[in-house]
Amino acid sequence: MVLVNLKSKMSTLKRCLSQLSMIVFRAESSGEPAWREECLKYRQTRFSSRRVRKRVIFKHGDCNVVQGNVAKRRRRYMQDIFTTLVDAQWRWTLLVFALSFLLSWTAFGIIWWLIAYTHGDLDYLEPHDPHVQLVHNKSTNPCVTEIYGFTSCFLFSVETQHTIGYGNRYITEECPEAIFIMCLQSIMGVFIQAFMVGIVFAKLSRPKKRAQTLLFSRNAVICHRDGVPCLMFRVGDMRKSHIIEAHVRAQIIRKKVTKENEVLPFYQQELQVGADGREDRLMFIWPTTIVHKIDKHSPLYALSAQDMLKERFEIVVMLEGVVESTGMTTQARSSYLPSEILWGHRFEHVVAFRKETGEYEVDYTLFNNTYEVDTPLCSAKQLDELRAELNTPNGLERLCSSGLLPRVSSAASLDPGSEESGDSGRLQMRSCSVPNGIPITEAHQHHHQNGHNGLNGQKKTQSGRRLSIKQEALPVDSMC
């Protein structure tokens, strides 16, 4: 019964597939563009879903760049055949490896057969006998002994090229051309073997494989550190063998319009990054947080949390260094889109000391974990302008009267030195989310009450109650 049900289901499935194929055929043959467009959607390859996000560098480090319309591409690749075979997939490399030996054996086997045939070493005495026997011409000595046909010549070619020498077949002094071919095949055999072994060794020892054990955090974060807004991401190494002279780079790729109205669709700008500072050299013994300070020299200086959601750019990060075990230079790459940058988050600590063993342990389960911290929603440029305004006489009153201060202090305090406090009333924002809080009207009344009490701007910043706003109470354009 089970087999009968299974056969019936399979037949039903075949009928459905045949009907579907007929529908697709009609759609392709018809002139309806809607049908063709619908069919193309289902024919996208597995790489099409990646390209929808328009990444230059994938998360695993591969470049999303295809070289098209290159003149004389095959000729250029053949001129650098070694690099072509090293970059090729393993199945093609192994195919070329096997064919290089088989073709050389066959080619020299044909040459040895021609030498024996032209010299008269092959003489068919009984062509109708099922056991065909080949005998040498008794008038002269053969060029190669024990040669009876092409099979014998092929075996002698293999023995000569790899210096096997079983002892049955050998060259005599009768044919100088045979001596020359033997020397030529010996040289060619060494050359082919060295070339193919070098290709296999180069593929096995490529530093690209070492980059697979270098990790980048899934997301980047933006938060304050020492009063400065910072973009941070984390790098780690899984192996015990360290990366020597490790240094990190970061570039932002985005559209730019020059003063002459020239559109640069993929303008690359360097980001100054380093391990807890400006220095890009790392002591790479455990996972390290790479920091980019968002100051007036940063391309992210004028971007707020709301701008980050609308902006289109890609931050490409690269980790380079020398592999300790092989001495070869390696590079690991990754990238972050605006949707992969968490605003108002900070990485959790992954290194802890174990008293039982006296060792520092790295917990890679926490490598991508973050936690929320209070971070202003405004850009670093707006925050610096507000701080400069607060330092002026009567700056706080002007900000309160203009309605700008509630927008800033509702997101977070202007005093970054005390942002480590655990007050639950502060802003906690993950990417584009805004937590609930008090309405903006109450925040505005609160600041006016404090202003009438005669407190100056600095005192208000340090001791004032930190406020938050509801997303529905604050329009998008009123975020700082």
Side-chain angles (χ1 to χ4, degrees):
M1 289 297 294
V2 177
L3 294 176
V4 173
N5 294 334
L6 182 59
K7 290 181 179 179
S8 62
K9 291 181 180 179
M10 291 296 294
S11 60
T12 305
L13 181 59
K14 289 181 180 179
R15 287 195 300 269
C16 294
L17 291 176
S18 61
Q19 293 175 2
L20 180 61
S21 61
M22 290 297 296
I23 293 174
V24 172
F25 176 78
R26 291 173 185 175
E28 291 181 346
S29 59
S30 63
E32 299 179 3
W35 273 97
R36 295 184 178 180
E37 183 179 357
E38 191 69 20
C39 292
L40 288 176
K41 291 181 181 179
Y42 292 98
R43 291 187 175 182
Q44 292 180 347
T45 60
R46 61 189 180 95
F47 298 101
S48 300
S49 59
R50 301 180 185 176
R51 289 171 182 158
V52 168
R53 305 188 69 178
K54 295 185 178 180
R55 306 188 79 108
V56 178
I57 303 295
F58 291 128
K59 297 295 288 184
H60 55 268
D62 290 345
C63 296
N64 188 22
V65 179
V66 179
Q67 311 294 341
N69 300 325
V70 180
K72 302 178 181 179
R73 173 186 291 183
R74 295 183 180 180
R75 181 185 300 179
R76 295 175 187 271
Y77 280 170
M78 293 303 295
Q79 290 176 353
D80 188 13
I81 185 63
F82 186 84
T83 306
T84 302
L85 292 177
V86 170
D87 293 338
Q89 296 180 353
W90 269 106
R91 56 177 176 265
W92 300 112
T93 303
L94 294 178
L95 178 63
V96 173
F97 183 88
L99 288 178
S100 63
F101 288 102
L102 291 175
L103 294 178
S104 63
W105 297 337
T106 305
F108 280 100
I110 295 174
I111 294 175
W112 288 117
W113 185 86
L114 292 176
I115 291 175
Y117 180 78
T118 55
H119 191 259
D121 297 341
L122 306 178
D123 187 10
Y124 292 88
L125 295 179
E126 299 179 1
H128 300 288
D129 191 279
H131 302 286
V132 178
Q133 297 180 357
L134 304 176
V135 299
H136 297 92
N137 191 352
K138 301 298 182 179
S139 60
T140 58
N141 293 326
C143 294
V144 182
T145 61
E146 301 294 332
I147 293 295
Y148 305 114
F150 178 75
T151 304
S152 302
C153 294
F154 182 81
L155 292 176
F156 181 73
S157 174
V158 175
E159 295 177 15
T160 302
Q161 184 165 330
H162 296 283
T163 64
I164 297 176
Y166 288 114
N168 293 329
R169 300 179 182 88
Y170 58 90
I171 295 179
T172 63
E173 300 177 356
E174 185 68 21
C175 303
E177 64 273 14
I179 299 175
F180 174 77
I181 294 299
M182 182 192 67
C183 298
L184 179 63
Q185 187 175 5
S186 299
I187 296 173
M188 289 296 297
V190 173
F191 178 77
I192 294 174
Q193 187 170 0
F195 182 77
M196 297 311 301
V197 170
I199 290 176
V200 174
F201 177 77
K203 287 183 70 68
L204 292 175
S205 61
R206 278 189 302 175
K208 182 179 179 180
K209 300 301 180 182
R210 179 63 176 88
Q212 302 298 324
T213 56
L214 299 177
L215 306 178
F216 291 89
S217 58
R218 186 183 304 111
N219 299 98
V221 299
I222 291 181
C223 63
H224 277 234
R225 175 173 286 188
D226 293 332
V228 180
C230 296
L231 171 72
M232 294 182 285
F233 59 93
R234 178 177 281 172
V235 295
D237 187 7
M238 296 172 53
R239 292 189 179 273
K240 290 185 177 179
S241 59
H242 303 300
I243 299 295
I244 305 173
E245 292 294 328
H247 60 280
V248 65
R249 293 178 54 202
Q251 286 186 346
I252 182 171
I253 302 176
R254 60 180 178 178
K255 182 179 179 181
K256 180 184 178 181
V257 180
T258 62
K259 298 179 180 179
E260 297 79 14
N261 292 329
E262 180 187 2
V263 179
L264 305 177
F266 305 104
Y267 179 72
Q268 302 179 21
Q269 189 173 0
E270 197 78 16
L271 297 179
Q272 296 293 332
V273 295
D276 304 327
R278 290 286 185 180
E279 184 62 35
D280 61 345
R281 301 288 177 178
L282 309 179
M283 188 182 69
F284 204 30
I285 60 176
W286 49 43
T288 306
T289 301
I290 308 301
V291 180
H292 165 67
K293 295 182 178 180
I294 306 178
D295 52 14
K296 60 182 180 179
H297 303 290
S298 172
L300 308 176
Y301 185 59
L303 293 182
S304 63
Q306 187 65 26
D307 298 334
M308 189 73 69
L309 302 178
K310 300 181 296 183
E311 198 72 18
R312 297 182 61 180
F313 62 86
E314 182 176 356
I315 297 178
V316 179
V317 294
M318 294 161 283
L319 177 63
E320 300 175 348
V322 179
V323 182
E324 185 179 23
S325 56
T326 62
M328 303 179 69
T329 303
T330 184
Q331 183 187 76
R333 298 180 295 265
S334 186
S335 67
Y336 299 100
L337 298 178
S339 59
E340 297 170 345
I341 300 177
L342 305 181
W343 192 287
H345 279 241
R346 186 173 294 153
F347 286 108
E348 294 186 6
H349 298 291
V350 296
V351 182
F353 182 76
R354 296 182 60 182
K355 296 182 179 179
E356 297 82 5
T357 59
E359 297 174 338
Y360 288 93
E361 182 182 12
V362 179
D363 187 2
Y364 275 97
T365 59
L366 305 175
F367 185 78
N368 295 309
N369 290 6
T370 61
Y371 61 94
E372 298 177 351
V373 293
D374 292 341
T375 304
L377 298 177
C378 60
S379 64
K381 180 179 180 181
Q382 293 172 332
L383 192 61
D384 290 344
E385 292 175 353
L386 291 174
R387 286 173 177 169
E389 184 67 22
L390 284 176
N391 292 330
T392 60
N394 299 326
L396 182 60
E397 295 181 359
R398 289 196 299 270
L399 291 176
C400 291
S401 60
S402 62
L404 294 176
L405 185 58
R407 286 180 268 170
V408 179
S409 59
S410 61
S413 172
L414 294 178
D415 180 18
S418 59
E419 72 180 41
E420 294 292 337
S421 175
D423 187 4
S424 60
R426 301 185 188 179
L427 169 73
Q428 294 180 347
M429 178 180 180
R430 178 182 177 90
S431 185
C432 59
S433 62
V434 179
N436 295 332
I438 66 173
I440 187 172
T441 55
E442 298 182 11
H444 192 67
Q445 294 176 2
H446 175 75
H447 280 283
H448 276 290
Q449 291 176 2
N450 290 340
H452 290 300
N453 291 335
L455 297 176
N456 54 24
Q458 182 178 3
K459 190 172 181 181
K460 273 184 170 294
T461 304
Q462 296 178 353
S463 61
R465 181 168 64 93
R466 302 179 187 267
L467 304 177
S468 59
I469 55 177
K470 290 184 178 179
Q471 187 175 3
E472 60 271 12
L474 182 62
V476 174
D477 57 354
S478 64
M479 287 187 179
C480 66

